[in-house]
Amino acid sequence: MATLSRIGGRALADLLPELRTMPGPVYASLAHAITSLVLDGRIATETRLPSERELATALHMSRATVTSAYDAMRAEGFLASRTGSGSYVTVPPGSRPRNSLVRWTTYTTDAADVIDLSCATLPAPPDIIAEAVADAAGRLTPYLLGDGYEPAGLPVLREAVAARFTQRDAATRPEQILITNGSLHGLDLLLRLLVGPGDRVITELPTYPGALDAVRAKSGRVLPVPMAAAGGWQVDQLRAALRQTAARLAYLTPDYHNPTGALVPEADRREVFKVARQTGTTVVVDESFVDLGFEGTERSSAAVDPSVIVVGSLSKPVWGGLRIGWLRASTDLVHRLAALRTSIDMSGPVLDQVVASILLPDLDTIAAARVVQLRPRRDALVAALADELPSWRTTLPQGGLSLWAELPAPLSTPLTMLAAQVGVVVVPGSRFGVDGTLERFLRLPYALPADRLRDAVHRLAGVWAQLDQGGVASRQLVVA
Ligand SMILES: Cc1ncc(COP(=O)(O)O)c(C=O)c1O
């Protein structure tokens, strides 16, 4: 099996801190620094490292120093070799998390007042759903005369979704739209159709855990490509991953990415989509959060490149309980996906689709009200973190429902376990990656009212102090 991609000596040198000022031998600092980049998701596992000679030249140090560093990493289980692939970074056996939907794992807490930050999602807006349901009930009679099965979706809703894409600069016919039970359902259908055991699927790192689980459920191989530290894509790395791996599919979330909230500029999208076309990789863009931007939205990715497949839904701007989503692709692909669907769930619910067709023309207004509600919550969360946990670093999300906090030590999992004891339910950073990395990060949704978020941060600060006082924060991470 080939490794994911290769990092050059110069590129690796650019990611490393100043090693000579660190205590202890330089080779140990180098080994530790590269290992930390792997654990923090800055270098994806299975990336081939530069040769010892190349890195030594880039770092202006002796080849023996680099050899010792690589030996130390190998001894700790962070470096391995494969014939024909050179030395590639990895994590020790036993550190890979099991597939699980964290939603269904249990946590124990004696706290009477639980603040649930496990989901980046909002309750339904008041009145809007009830009014649309009443309206839809009045429009139901003609549908009741038919059999109710429309595997591709009700024509009225396919038209409304197509019109919305057309409005956003991506001219779309209703035949190009498949109505799904949410955007994850759309991704799952695509994976079933296009990805077989062992096929490679490029994702961002971090990314939405549901997508990772869906790829693994088809026995696909996830190839995570690290996001830039400041947010957004590392176009060079995505380009390299596409060119070097012959990936079958790339799942990307350029519009207010979950968990970082980043918005990827159009020029970066155009370049990545172009390379994917050259390598024959199907790109699936997840637009789940596209309507929840603080800064105004880029054009739909389908307008940037019509060959890109887009999945989206009403779950984030309106309500997850509706279970209404869509997929935009070629007419032929929509046909094949609708046929596949009949072997799984036959069709979507008629009443809910009528409700969605009533809501869709008002989506801009509904989403704008959401953004007005979310901005002070985001700001309150950022301010509370700056106040109570100043050693945590945050990047201001440009949209979406969560921020991605960087902790000063890789303690996300122990922190979430302690947090549950004081009634704060959070998901550790490692859940948004593969291989047990990203332990230095924590996703914090800001969907709750500002006072609840302040309370949550206050409780988190309390348990963080306990971890810190225990001296754990200064300990080297043991991935287990
Ligand atoms: C990026 C992303 N895609 C898809 C989903 C699933 O959404 P849906 O309810 O539309 O299936 C989520 C839910 O959190 C998400 O964050």
Side-chain angles (χ1 to χ4, degrees), residues 99 101 188 191-192 195-198 201 209-222:
N99 282 6
L101 282 173
D188 187 78
L191 292 169
R192 282 174 197 253
V195 172
V201 177
L212 292 173
D213 286 343
V215 175
R216 291 193 193 113
K218 318 293 171 297
S219 304
R221 233 183 116 208
V222 177

Side-chain angles (χ1 to χ4, degrees), residues 182-184 208 251 258 286 288-289 313 315-316 323:
S183 39
L184 183 56
Y208 166 54
Y251 165 78
N258 179 9
D286 187 334
S288 289
F289 292 93
S313 80
S315 294
K316 305 298 175 179
R323 305 313 308 139

Side-chain angles (χ1 to χ4, degrees), residues 8-13 52-61:
R10 273 256 52 88
L12 179 53
E52 291 154 11
R53 185 201 301 270
E54 184 186 344
L55 186 57
T57 308
L59 290 172
H60 308 292
M61 55 178 58

Side-chain angles (χ1 to χ4, degrees), residues 263-434:
L263 177 67
V264 175
E266 187 170 318
D268 290 358
R269 300 181 198 217
R270 190 173 300 114
E271 171 63 14
V272 169
F273 299 161
K274 184 186 82 187
V275 178
R277 251 186 291 117
Q278 291 163 353
T279 59
T281 304
T282 301
V283 174
V284 182
V285 166
D286 187 334
E287 285 194 346
S288 289
F289 292 93
V290 75
D291 300 299
L292 298 181
F294 297 116
E295 317 293 344
T297 297
E298 301 280 306
R299 292 192 302 157
S300 170
S301 290
V304 178
D305 186 333
S307 69
V308 160
I309 299 172
V310 175
V311 294
S313 80
L314 290 182
S315 294
K316 305 298 175 179
V318 186
W319 188 41
L322 273 174
R323 305 313 308 139
I324 292 290
W326 49 82
L327 177 149
R328 179 196 188 275
S330 69
T331 312
D332 174 55
L333 191 58
V334 165
H335 232 82
R336 289 160 64 203
L337 291 166
L340 171 65
R341 179 196 195 157
T342 56
S343 67
I344 302 162
D345 68 344
M346 293 292 282
S347 179
V350 171
L351 179 61
D352 306 53
Q353 291 184 72
V354 178
V355 170
S357 72
I358 292 166
L359 292 171
L360 217 65
D362 292 332
L363 190 51
D364 283 341
T365 314
I366 298 170
R370 292 301 213 183
V371 173
V372 166
Q373 185 185 36
L374 286 169
R375 190 186 292 276
R377 295 180 181 189
R378 175 197 67 172
D379 294 346
L381 177 60
V382 171
L385 286 167
D387 199 28
E388 300 228 31
L389 286 158
S391 64
W392 292 19
R393 282 200 301 197
T394 55
T395 310
L396 198 66
Q398 292 163 285
L401 287 164
S402 63
L403 67 75
W404 187 234
E406 181 174 355
L407 319 180
L411 291 168
S412 197
T413 298
L415 177 69
T416 56
M417 283 152 62
L418 280 181
Q421 289 171 18
V422 295
V424 179
V425 185
V426 268
V427 181
S430 52
R431 189 69 187 88
F432 297 82
V434 289

